[in-house]
Amino acid sequence: MEGSTAAPQLERRAVGLPTAISTVFGLIVATTVLVSVGQGFAASWIFLIALGIAMVAMYMQALSFSELATMIPKAGSMNEYVRAGLGAFAGSLTALMGYIAIVVFPTAAESLFPAIILTEFFEIAGDPKLWVTIIVLGVAALNVFGVRPFAAVEIALTFVVAIALLVFGIIGIFGLGSGDTVSGALPSADFEWGTLGALLGLAVFTFVGLEYACPLAEELDNPRRELPLGMFLGLALIAVPVVLYGIGATRYLPADQLGDPTQLTHMNIAIAMLGDFGKWFMGIVSIAATVATLNAVLAGVPRLLYGMSYTQQAPRAFGYLLPSTRAPV
């Protein structure tokens, strides 16, 4: 028998549409995406077609999540949707595998990238593990202060990263960098179905994560309007600068270097375009992208666990809200 869903309330009507958009953008446009987009375009211009197919698929996903989130506008998000149709066990399994495991594994890898940039590219002293700890604890502390500080930082970081990627894209496409171009944009190659199939997974990865806006449902001004709009506009805001950045990258870095999985290729792209200035510029942008991703994850997962604690699917302690900020901590 399921427990009561009555719970102390999160801060209601605290944030609006810009927060929903920036949460989608911030979660998706991580440093790992900046690396993988370069690798995709290094393989072939066919990656553009793969991105288009992935974009359509993600908009279909956005329609599905919009319907679910507006029918069940709760912080428990995915758990609540699955639980309503398939029961508590399926809801718990989905939340554990689809959300909480992401915090433990992919997010841990994502948080390592800014540490590498700080120690290897910026040559700042310190163990990378120490920098990872500092960054993650800093973002966690921000979320303890509540949804409004989270929203302000996420919106600011989204603006910085989006504009920066547009700048890199324009510089690359028009050959305006201080470095020498190595080819035209999107080198020609024959279309192959096998290549398209191989690149589809990488293309879908470019847009994965829009559902992380759903745990904000109880704190948005008007979730029925802002969740669907946030997902749809967020995806569009991602597609334009990311595609321009990827096309521009092909002009300044040879395909073998652009597709090298052992390198932080986005840093090499920036250095090839703008030299030492590009290294610092992209380094700061990359750190901002990672912080935005961590910020979205560390806002979404505690709210998911908060909702689960009041349906007896997680320990009751996860339902604790800090009285001064109404934040689940």
Side-chain angles (χ1 to χ4, degrees):
M1 183 174 179
E2 294 180 349
S4 170
T5 57
Q9 289 191 347
L10 298 161
E11 187 177 3
R12 305 292 175 165
R13 301 184 181 276
V15 293
L17 179 60
T19 302
I21 295 172
S22 62
T23 300
V24 172
F25 185 98
L27 191 284
I28 294 175
V29 184
T31 297
T32 46
V33 169
L34 300 182
V35 173
S36 65
V37 165
Q39 293 171 344
F41 278 106
S44 172
W45 64 269
I46 299 170
F47 188 58
L48 262 180
I49 300 176
L51 284 174
I53 295 171
M55 188 77 169
V56 172
M58 290 301 103
Y59 268 116
M60 296 301 100
Q61 184 185 38
L63 283 171
S64 178
F65 273 107
S66 295
E67 182 176 14
L68 290 166
T70 52
M71 289 173 62
I72 311 174
K74 294 184 178 181
S77 59
M78 181 63 82
N79 171 62
E80 295 288 351
Y81 315 150
V82 177
R83 178 171 160 269
L86 299 175
F89 175 76
S92 298
L93 186 63
T94 301
L96 289 170
M97 298 302 295
Y99 285 78
I100 296 166
I102 288 175
V103 176
V104 179
F105 298 108
T107 307
E110 173 68 25
S111 62
L112 182 61
F113 285 117
I116 293 173
I117 291 170
L118 288 169
T119 56
E120 295 187 11
F121 287 89
F122 292 178
E123 297 180 353
I124 297 174
D127 186 333
K129 295 176 186 176
L130 174 63
W131 282 110
V132 168
T133 303
I134 291 171
I135 291 168
V136 173
L137 288 178
V139 176
L142 171 67
N143 275 272
V144 169
F145 285 103
V147 70
R148 294 176 192 268
F150 150 78
V153 170
E154 198 72 359
I155 292 168
L157 292 174
T158 293
F159 179 81
V160 168
V161 175
I163 294 298
L165 291 181
L166 279 173
V167 169
F168 275 112
I170 291 168
I171 289 172
I173 290 170
F174 292 102
L176 303 176
S178 58
D180 295 327
T181 57
V182 297
S183 71
L186 294 177
S188 61
D190 294 334
F191 177 82
E192 295 180 5
W193 286 105
T195 302
L196 176 60
L199 291 174
L200 274 174
L202 202 60
V204 170
F205 174 72
T206 305
F207 300 112
V208 165
L210 60 87
E211 70 275 10
Y212 268 78
C214 295
L216 298 173
E218 297 184 33
E219 294 156 290
L220 290 169
D221 289 331
N222 183 355
R224 293 183 181 276
R225 170 180 174 271
E226 290 158 0
L227 279 174
L229 272 177
M231 292 182 206
F232 272 70
L233 295 177
L235 282 173
L237 182 62
I238 291 163
V240 174
V242 163
V243 167
L244 292 179
Y245 155 78
I247 294 173
T250 63
R251 296 208 64 196
Y252 278 88
L253 212 61
D256 60 333
Q257 296 180 36
L258 195 57
D260 188 346
T262 67
Q263 298 290 315
L264 294 185
T265 51
H266 66 301
M267 295 297 295
N268 294 337
I269 291 165
I271 292 168
M273 281 188 190
L274 298 172
D276 195 57
F277 174 76
K279 176 187 75 173
W280 286 91
F281 187 13
M282 180 57 87
I284 292 169
V285 170
S286 181
I287 292 170
T290 292
V291 170
T293 299
L294 294 175
N295 199 31
V297 170
L298 294 182
V301 171
R303 284 163 174 78
L304 174 66
L305 289 169
Y306 154 84
M308 292 177 68
S309 73
Y310 285 93
T311 54
Q312 295 184 355
Q313 293 170 264
R316 196 64 176 242
F318 286 114
Y320 174 73
L321 298 181
L322 196 66
S324 59
T325 62
R326 312 301 298 165
V329 295

Coordinates of all heavy atoms in Angstrom, one line a residue, residues 254-329:
P254 N 42.0 19.7 -38.8 CA 41.9 18.5 -39.7 C 41.0 17.4 -39.1 O 40.9 17.3 -37.8 CB 43.3 18.0 -39.8 CG 44.2 19.2 -39.4 CD 43.4 20.0 -38.4
A255 N 40.4 16.6 -39.9 CA 39.4 15.6 -39.4 C 40.1 14.6 -38.5 O 39.4 14.2 -37.5 CB 38.8 14.9 -40.6
D256 N 41.3 14.3 -38.7 CA 41.9 13.3 -37.8 C 42.1 13.8 -36.4 O 42.0 13.1 -35.4 CB 43.3 12.8 -38.4 CG 44.3 13.9 -38.6 OD1 43.9 15.1 -38.8 OD2 45.5 13.7 -38.5
Q257 N 42.4 15.1 -36.3 CA 42.5 15.8 -35.0 C 41.1 16.1 -34.4 O 40.9 15.9 -33.2 CB 43.3 17.1 -35.1 CG 44.8 16.9 -35.5 CD 45.5 18.2 -35.6 OE1 45.3 19.1 -34.8 NE2 46.4 18.3 -36.6
L258 N 40.2 16.5 -35.2 CA 38.9 16.8 -34.7 C 38.2 15.6 -34.2 O 37.4 15.7 -33.2 CB 38.0 17.4 -35.9 CG 36.7 18.1 -35.6 CD1 37.0 19.3 -34.6 CD2 36.1 18.6 -36.8
G259 N 38.4 14.4 -34.7 CA 37.8 13.2 -34.3 C 38.6 12.4 -33.3 O 38.2 11.3 -33.0
D260 N 39.7 12.9 -32.8 CA 40.6 12.2 -31.9 C 39.9 12.0 -30.5 O 39.7 13.0 -29.8 CB 41.9 12.9 -31.7 CG 42.9 12.1 -30.9 OD1 42.5 11.1 -30.3 OD2 44.1 12.5 -30.9
P261 N 39.5 10.8 -30.1 CA 38.8 10.6 -28.8 C 39.7 10.8 -27.6 O 39.2 10.8 -26.5 CB 38.3 9.2 -29.0 CG 39.3 8.5 -29.8 CD 39.8 9.5 -30.8
T262 N 41.0 10.9 -27.8 CA 41.9 11.1 -26.6 C 42.1 12.6 -26.3 O 42.8 12.8 -25.3 CB 43.2 10.4 -26.9 OG1 43.9 11.1 -28.0 CG2 43.1 9.0 -27.3
Q263 N 41.5 13.5 -27.1 CA 41.8 14.9 -26.9 C 40.5 15.6 -26.5 O 39.4 15.2 -26.8 CB 42.3 15.5 -28.2 CG 43.6 14.9 -28.7 CD 44.8 15.3 -27.8 OE1 44.9 16.5 -27.4 NE2 45.6 14.3 -27.5
L264 N 40.7 16.8 -25.8 CA 39.6 17.7 -25.5 C 39.5 18.5 -26.8 O 40.1 19.6 -26.9 CB 39.9 18.6 -24.3 CG 39.9 17.9 -23.0 CD1 40.0 18.9 -21.8 CD2 38.6 17.1 -22.8
T265 N 38.8 18.0 -27.8 CA 38.9 18.6 -29.2 C 38.4 20.1 -29.2 O 38.8 20.9 -30.0 CB 38.1 17.8 -30.2 OG1 36.8 17.5 -29.7 CG2 38.8 16.5 -30.4
H266 N 37.4 20.4 -28.3 CA 36.9 21.8 -28.3 C 38.0 22.8 -27.9 O 38.0 23.9 -28.4 CB 35.7 21.9 -27.4 CG 36.0 21.7 -26.0 ND1 36.5 20.5 -25.4 CD2 35.8 22.5 -24.9 CE1 36.6 20.6 -24.1 NE2 36.2 21.8 -23.8
M267 N 38.9 22.4 -27.1 CA 40.0 23.2 -26.7 C 41.0 23.4 -27.9 O 41.5 24.5 -28.2 CB 40.8 22.7 -25.5 CG 39.9 22.6 -24.2 SD 39.4 24.3 -23.7 CE 41.0 25.0 -23.3
N268 N 41.2 22.3 -28.6 CA 42.1 22.3 -29.8 C 41.5 23.2 -30.9 O 42.2 23.9 -31.6 CB 42.4 20.9 -30.3 CG 43.2 20.1 -29.3 OD1 43.9 20.7 -28.5 ND2 43.1 18.8 -29.4
I269 N 40.1 23.1 -31.0 CA 39.4 24.0 -32.0 C 39.7 25.4 -31.7 O 40.0 26.3 -32.6 CB 37.9 23.6 -32.0 CG1 37.7 22.3 -32.5 CG2 37.1 24.7 -32.8 CD1 36.3 21.7 -32.2
A270 N 39.5 25.8 -30.4 CA 39.6 27.2 -30.0 C 41.0 27.7 -30.2 O 41.2 28.9 -30.6 CB 39.2 27.4 -28.6
I271 N 42.0 26.9 -29.9 CA 43.4 27.3 -30.0 C 43.7 27.4 -31.5 O 44.5 28.4 -31.9 CB 44.3 26.2 -29.4 CG1 44.1 26.3 -27.8 CG2 45.8 26.5 -29.7 CD1 44.8 25.1 -27.1
A272 N 43.2 26.5 -32.4 CA 43.5 26.6 -33.8 C 42.9 27.9 -34.4 O 43.4 28.5 -35.3 CB 42.9 25.4 -34.5
M273 N 41.7 28.3 -33.8 CA 41.0 29.5 -34.3 C 41.7 30.8 -33.8 O 41.9 31.8 -34.6 CB 39.6 29.5 -33.9 CG 38.6 28.7 -34.7 SD 36.9 29.0 -34.1 CE 36.1 27.7 -35.0
L274 N 41.9 30.9 -32.5 CA 42.3 32.1 -31.9 C 43.5 32.1 -31.0 O 43.8 33.0 -30.3 CB 41.1 32.6 -31.0 CG 39.8 32.9 -31.7 CD1 38.7 33.1 -30.7 CD2 39.9 34.0 -32.7
G275 N 44.3 31.0 -31.1 CA 45.6 30.9 -30.4 C 45.4 30.9 -28.9 O 44.4 30.3 -28.4
D276 N 46.3 31.6 -28.2 CA 46.2 31.5 -26.7 C 44.9 32.2 -26.2 O 44.4 31.7 -25.2 CB 47.5 32.3 -26.2 CG 47.7 32.0 -24.7 OD1 47.8 30.8 -24.3 OD2 47.7 33.0 -23.9
F277 N 44.5 33.2 -26.8 CA 43.2 33.8 -26.4 C 42.1 32.8 -26.5 O 41.2 32.7 -25.7 CB 42.9 35.0 -27.3 CG 41.5 35.6 -27.0 CD1 41.3 36.4 -25.8 CD2 40.5 35.4 -27.9 CE1 40.0 36.9 -25.6 CE2 39.2 35.9 -27.6 CZ 39.0 36.7 -26.4
G278 N 42.1 32.0 -27.6 CA 41.0 31.0 -27.8 C 41.1 30.0 -26.7 O 40.0 29.5 -26.3
K279 N 42.3 29.6 -26.2 CA 42.4 28.6 -25.2 C 41.7 29.1 -23.9 O 40.9 28.4 -23.3 CB 43.9 28.4 -24.8 CG 44.1 27.5 -23.7 CD 45.6 27.4 -23.3 CE 46.1 28.7 -22.6 NZ 47.4 28.6 -22.0
W280 N 41.9 30.4 -23.5 CA 41.3 30.9 -22.3 C 39.8 31.1 -22.5 O 39.0 30.9 -21.6 CB 42.0 32.2 -21.9 CG 43.3 32.0 -21.3 CD1 44.5 32.0 -22.0 CD2 43.6 31.8 -20.0 NE1 45.5 31.7 -21.1 CE2 45.0 31.6 -19.9 CE3 42.8 31.7 -18.8 CZ2 45.6 31.4 -18.6 CZ3 43.5 31.4 -17.6 CH2 44.8 31.2 -17.5
F281 N 39.4 31.6 -23.7 CA 38.0 31.9 -24.0 C 37.2 30.5 -23.9 O 36.2 30.5 -23.2 CB 37.9 32.5 -25.4 CG 36.5 33.0 -25.8 CD1 35.5 33.1 -24.9 CD2 36.3 33.3 -27.1 CE1 34.2 33.5 -25.2 CE2 35.0 33.7 -27.5 CZ 34.0 33.8 -26.6
M282 N 37.7 29.5 -24.7 CA 37.0 28.3 -24.7 C 37.0 27.6 -23.3 O 36.1 26.9 -22.9 CB 37.5 27.3 -25.8 CG 36.8 26.0 -25.8 SD 35.0 26.1 -26.1 CE 35.0 26.2 -27.9
G283 N 38.2 27.7 -22.6 CA 38.3 27.1 -21.3 C 37.2 27.6 -20.4 O 36.6 26.9 -19.6
I284 N 37.0 29.0 -20.4 CA 36.0 29.6 -19.5 C 34.6 29.1 -19.9 O 33.8 28.8 -19.1 CB 36.2 31.1 -19.5 CG1 37.5 31.5 -18.9 CG2 35.0 31.8 -18.9 CD1 37.8 33.0 -19.1
V285 N 34.4 29.1 -21.2 CA 33.1 28.6 -21.8 C 32.8 27.2 -21.4 O 31.7 26.8 -21.0 CB 33.0 28.8 -23.3 CG1 31.8 28.1 -23.9 CG2 33.0 30.3 -23.7
S286 N 33.8 26.3 -21.5 CA 33.7 24.9 -21.2 C 33.4 24.7 -19.7 O 32.5 23.9 -19.3 CB 35.0 24.2 -21.5 OG 34.9 22.8 -21.2
I287 N 34.1 25.5 -18.8 CA 33.8 25.4 -17.4 C 32.4 25.9 -17.1 O 31.6 25.2 -16.3 CB 34.8 26.2 -16.6 CG1 36.2 25.6 -16.7 CG2 34.4 26.3 -15.1 CD1 37.3 26.4 -16.2
A288 N 31.9 26.9 -17.8 CA 30.6 27.4 -17.6 C 29.5 26.4 -18.0 O 28.5 26.2 -17.4 CB 30.4 28.7 -18.4
A289 N 29.8 25.7 -19.2 CA 28.9 24.6 -19.6 C 28.8 23.5 -18.6 O 27.7 23.0 -18.4 CB 29.4 24.1 -21.0
T290 N 29.9 23.1 -18.1 CA 29.9 22.0 -17.1 C 29.2 22.4 -15.8 O 28.4 21.7 -15.3 CB 31.4 21.6 -16.7 OG1 31.9 21.0 -17.8 CG2 31.4 20.6 -15.6
V291 N 29.4 23.6 -15.3 CA 28.7 24.1 -14.1 C 27.2 24.2 -14.4 O 26.4 23.8 -13.5 CB 29.3 25.5 -13.7 CG1 28.4 26.1 -12.6 CG2 30.7 25.4 -13.2
A292 N 26.8 24.6 -15.6 CA 25.4 24.7 -15.9 C 24.8 23.3 -15.9 O 23.7 23.1 -15.4 CB 25.2 25.3 -17.3
T293 N 25.5 22.3 -16.4 CA 25.0 20.9 -16.4 C 24.9 20.4 -15.0 O 23.9 19.8 -14.6 CB 26.0 20.0 -17.2 OG1 26.0 20.5 -18.6 CG2 25.5 18.6 -17.2
L294 N 25.9 20.6 -14.2 CA 25.9 20.1 -12.8 C 24.8 20.8 -12.1 O 24.1 20.2 -11.2 CB 27.2 20.4 -12.1 CG 28.4 19.6 -12.6 CD1 29.7 20.1 -12.0 CD2 28.3 18.1 -12.4
N295 N 24.6 22.1 -12.3 CA 23.6 22.9 -11.7 C 22.2 22.3 -12.0 O 21.3 22.2 -11.1 CB 23.6 24.3 -12.1 CG 22.9 25.3 -11.2 OD1 22.9 25.1 -10.0 ND2 22.4 26.4 -11.8
A296 N 21.9 22.0 -13.2 CA 20.6 21.4 -13.6 C 20.4 20.0 -13.0 O 19.3 19.7 -12.5 CB 20.5 21.3 -15.1
V297 N 21.5 19.2 -13.0 CA 21.4 17.9 -12.4 C 21.1 17.9 -10.9 O 20.3 17.2 -10.3 CB 22.6 17.0 -12.7 CG1 22.6 15.7 -11.9 CG2 22.7 16.7 -14.2
L298 N 21.9 18.8 -10.2 CA 21.8 18.9 -8.7 C 20.5 19.7 -8.3 O 20.2 19.7 -7.1 CB 23.1 19.6 -8.2 CG 24.3 18.7 -8.3 CD1 25.5 19.4 -7.7 CD2 24.1 17.3 -7.7
A299 N 19.8 20.3 -9.2 CA 18.5 20.8 -8.9 C 17.4 19.8 -9.2 O 16.5 19.6 -8.4 CB 18.2 22.0 -9.8
G300 N 17.6 19.0 -10.2 CA 16.5 18.0 -10.6 C 16.5 16.8 -9.7 O 15.4 16.4 -9.3
V301 N 17.6 16.2 -9.5 CA 17.6 14.9 -8.8 C 17.1 15.0 -7.3 O 16.3 14.2 -6.9 CB 19.0 14.2 -8.8 CG1 19.0 13.0 -7.9 CG2 19.3 13.8 -10.3
P302 N 17.5 16.0 -6.5 CA 16.9 16.1 -5.2 C 15.4 16.3 -5.2 O 14.7 15.8 -4.3 CB 17.6 17.4 -4.6 CG 18.9 17.5 -5.4 CD 18.6 17.0 -6.8
R303 N 14.9 17.0 -6.2 CA 13.4 17.2 -6.3 C 12.7 15.9 -6.6 O 11.6 15.6 -6.2 CB 13.1 18.3 -7.3 CG 13.4 19.7 -6.7 CD 13.5 20.8 -7.8 NE 13.6 22.1 -7.1 CZ 14.7 22.5 -6.6 NH1 15.8 21.8 -6.7 NH2 14.8 23.7 -6.0
L304 N 13.4 15.1 -7.5 CA 12.9 13.8 -7.8 C 12.8 12.9 -6.5 O 11.8 12.3 -6.2 CB 13.7 13.1 -8.9 CG 13.4 11.7 -9.2 CD1 12.1 11.5 -9.9 CD2 14.5 11.1 -10.1
L305 N 13.9 12.9 -5.8 CA 14.0 12.1 -4.5 C 13.0 12.6 -3.5 O 12.4 11.9 -2.7 CB 15.4 12.1 -4.0 CG 16.4 11.3 -4.8 CD1 17.8 11.6 -4.3 CD2 16.1 9.8 -4.7
Y306 N 12.8 14.0 -3.5 CA 11.9 14.6 -2.6 C 10.5 14.0 -2.8 O 9.7 13.7 -1.9 CB 11.9 16.1 -2.8 CG 10.7 16.9 -2.4 CD1 10.4 17.3 -1.1 CD2 9.7 17.2 -3.4 CE1 9.2 18.0 -0.8 CE2 8.6 17.9 -3.1 CZ 8.3 18.3 -1.8 OH 7.2 19.0 -1.5
G307 N 10.1 14.0 -4.1 CA 8.8 13.4 -4.4 C 8.7 12.0 -4.1 O 7.6 11.5 -3.6
M308 N 9.7 11.2 -4.3 CA 9.7 9.8 -4.0 C 9.6 9.5 -2.5 O 9.1 8.4 -2.1 CB 10.9 9.1 -4.6 CG 11.0 9.1 -6.2 SD 12.5 8.4 -6.8 CE 12.3 6.6 -6.3
S309 N 10.2 10.4 -1.7 CA 10.2 10.1 -0.3 C 8.8 10.1 0.3 O 8.5 9.5 1.3 CB 11.0 11.1 0.4 OG 10.4 12.4 0.5
Y310 N 7.9 10.9 -0.3 CA 6.5 11.0 0.2 C 5.5 10.0 -0.4 O 4.4 10.0 -0.2 CB 6.0 12.4 0.1 CG 6.7 13.3 1.1 CD1 7.8 14.0 0.8 CD2 6.2 13.3 2.4 CE1 8.5 14.7 1.8 CE2 6.8 14.1 3.4 CZ 8.0 14.8 3.0 OH 8.6 15.5 4.0
T311 N 6.1 9.1 -1.3 CA 5.3 7.9 -1.7 C 5.9 6.6 -1.3 O 5.7 5.6 -1.8 CB 5.2 7.9 -3.3 OG1 6.5 8.0 -3.8 CG2 4.4 9.1 -3.8
Q312 N 6.8 6.8 -0.3 CA 7.5 5.7 0.4 C 8.4 4.9 -0.6 O 8.6 3.6 -0.5 CB 6.5 4.7 1.1 CG 5.8 5.4 2.2 CD 4.9 4.5 3.0 OE1 4.7 3.4 2.6 NE2 4.3 5.0 4.1
Q313 N 8.9 5.5 -1.6 CA 9.8 4.9 -2.6 C 11.3 5.3 -2.3 O 12.2 4.8 -3.0 CB 9.4 5.3 -4.0 CG 8.1 4.8 -4.5 CD 7.7 5.4 -5.8 OE1 6.9 6.4 -5.8 NE2 8.2 4.9 -6.9
A314 N 11.5 6.2 -1.4 CA 12.8 6.6 -1.0 C 12.8 6.9 0.5 O 11.7 7.2 1.0 CB 13.3 7.8 -1.8
P315 N 13.9 6.9 1.2 CA 13.9 7.2 2.6 C 13.3 8.6 2.9 O 13.5 9.5 2.1 CB 15.4 7.2 3.0 CG 16.0 6.2 2.0 CD 15.2 6.4 0.7
R316 N 12.5 8.7 4.0 CA 11.8 9.9 4.3 C 12.7 11.1 4.4 O 12.3 12.3 4.2 CB 11.0 9.7 5.6 CG 9.9 10.8 5.9 CD 8.8 10.7 4.8 NE 7.7 11.6 5.1 CZ 6.5 11.2 5.3 NH1 6.2 9.9 5.3 NH2 5.5 12.1 5.5
A317 N 14.0 10.9 4.7 CA 14.9 12.0 4.9 C 15.1 12.8 3.6 O 15.4 14.0 3.7 CB 16.3 11.4 5.3
F318 N 14.9 12.1 2.5 CA 15.0 12.9 1.2 C 13.9 13.9 1.0 O 14.0 14.7 0.1 CB 15.0 11.9 0.0 CG 16.3 11.1 -0.1 CD1 16.3 9.7 0.1 CD2 17.5 11.7 -0.4 CE1 17.5 9.0 0.0 CE2 18.7 11.0 -0.5 CZ 18.7 9.6 -0.3
G319 N 12.9 13.8 1.8 CA 11.8 14.8 1.7 C 12.1 16.1 2.5 O 11.2 17.0 2.5
Y320 N 13.2 16.1 3.2 CA 13.5 17.3 4.0 C 13.7 18.6 3.2 O 14.5 18.6 2.2 CB 14.7 17.1 4.9 CG 15.1 18.3 5.7 CD1 14.4 18.7 6.8 CD2 16.3 19.0 5.4 CE1 14.8 19.8 7.5 CE2 16.7 20.1 6.1 CZ 15.9 20.5 7.2 OH 16.3 21.6 7.9
L321 N 13.0 19.6 3.6 CA 13.2 20.9 2.9 C 13.9 21.9 3.9 O 13.4 22.0 5.1 CB 11.9 21.5 2.4 CG 11.1 20.7 1.4 CD1 9.8 21.5 1.0 CD2 12.0 20.5 0.1
L322 N 14.9 22.6 3.5 CA 15.5 23.6 4.3 C 14.5 24.7 4.5 O 14.0 25.3 3.6 CB 16.8 24.2 3.6 CG 17.7 24.9 4.5 CD1 18.4 24.0 5.5 CD2 18.8 25.6 3.7
P323 N 14.1 25.0 5.8 CA 13.0 25.9 6.1 C 13.2 27.3 5.4 O 12.3 27.9 5.0 CB 13.0 26.0 7.6 CG 13.6 24.7 8.1 CD 14.6 24.4 7.0
S324 N 14.4 27.8 5.4 CA 14.7 29.2 5.0 C 14.6 29.3 3.5 O 14.3 30.4 2.9 CB 16.1 29.7 5.4 OG 17.1 28.8 4.9
T325 N 14.8 28.3 2.7 CA 14.8 28.4 1.2 C 13.8 27.4 0.5 O 13.7 27.5 -0.7 CB 16.3 28.1 0.7 OG1 16.6 26.7 1.0 CG2 17.3 29.0 1.3
R326 N 13.2 26.5 1.3 CA 12.3 25.5 0.7 C 13.0 24.6 -0.3 O 12.4 24.1 -1.2 CB 11.1 26.2 0.1 CG 10.4 27.2 0.9 CD 9.9 26.7 2.3 NE 8.9 25.6 2.1 CZ 8.6 24.8 3.1 NH1 9.2 24.9 4.3 NH2 7.7 23.9 3.0
A327 N 14.3 24.5 -0.2 CA 15.1 23.6 -1.1 C 15.2 22.2 -0.5 O 15.6 22.1 0.6 CB 16.5 24.3 -1.3
P328 N 15.1 21.2 -1.4 CA 15.4 19.8 -0.9 C 16.9 19.6 -0.9 O 17.5 19.8 -1.9 CB 14.7 19.0 -2.0 CG 14.7 19.8 -3.2 CD 14.6 21.2 -2.8
V329 N 17.4 19.3 0.2 CA 18.9 19.2 0.4 C 19.3 17.8 0.8 O 20.5 17.5 0.8 CB 19.4 20.2 1.4 CG1 19.1 21.6 0.9 CG2 18.7 20.0 2.7

